[in-house]
Amino acid sequence: MVSMTERAAAEITKVLAAEAKPDSALRIWIAGSGCSGYQYGLAIDESPSPSDLSFVNHGLTVLVDPMSHEALDGATIDFVDTPMGGGFKIDNPNSKSNCGDCNCDNEGDGSGSCGSHAHGHGHGHGHGHDGGCGCGG
């Protein structure tokens, strides 16, 4: 199950209202992984797939594709304010930092650019995210 805090639900409700899509769902997926753990994608989704898992939190539907579900099971979506601005934060007990296990210079150029590269999500959103190491220079 993927849950969300009341604060996250309030912020998502604002976004859905601003986009004139109050009945849409929030989709979350694993966009990549690397030494610093998982990276996530979030999007408004108006057309869930029949294979999606859905969870209702604070009146909002959260959609998760079957491939991301195991890695996201138990995660909580929150919204936090920082001096640099606000944003969504995913608290995921399944995400682990493995910087000690990563060869961050696997490109051989000293760039510290290891990790997987996930291009897209499989639902036509077109969100490409790099899952870099995060422990290199």
Side-chain angles (χ1 to χ4, degrees):
M1 178 171 167
V2 176
S3 61
M4 75 175 74
T5 64
E6 286 185 48
R7 176 71 195 272
E11 292 297 324
I12 294 165
T13 299
K14 287 181 195 177
V15 170
L16 294 176
E19 297 280 330
K21 299 178 181 180
D23 297 325
S24 295
L26 175 72
R27 177 174 296 284
I28 182 171
W29 68 94
I30 300 295
S33 66
C35 295
S36 57
Y38 293 126
Q39 293 183 0
Y40 306 94
L42 294 171
I44 296 170
D45 196 321
E46 296 179 279
S47 55
S49 168
S51 63
D52 286 334
L53 288 94
S54 65
F55 308 98
V56 177
N57 293 270
H58 306 288
L60 295 171
T61 301
V62 177
L63 300 173
V64 181
D65 66 86
M67 293 194 58
S68 296
H69 180 256
E70 185 176 333
L72 288 167
D73 192 27
T76 302
I77 303 167
D78 195 4
F79 187 88
V80 295
D81 282 315
T82 68
M84 300 299 288
F88 292 99
K89 176 184 174 206
I90 312 301
D91 180 24
N92 187 350
N94 303 311
S95 183
K96 297 180 175 114
S97 176
N98 295 317
C99 271
D101 298 333
C102 180
N103 176 8
C104 286
D105 190 23
N106 70 347
E107 300 294 326
D109 62 0
S111 67
S113 59
C114 77
S116 65
H117 299 281
H119 298 287
H121 158 54
H123 289 278
H125 298 296
H127 299 288
H129 302 275
D130 287 340
C133 180
C135 60

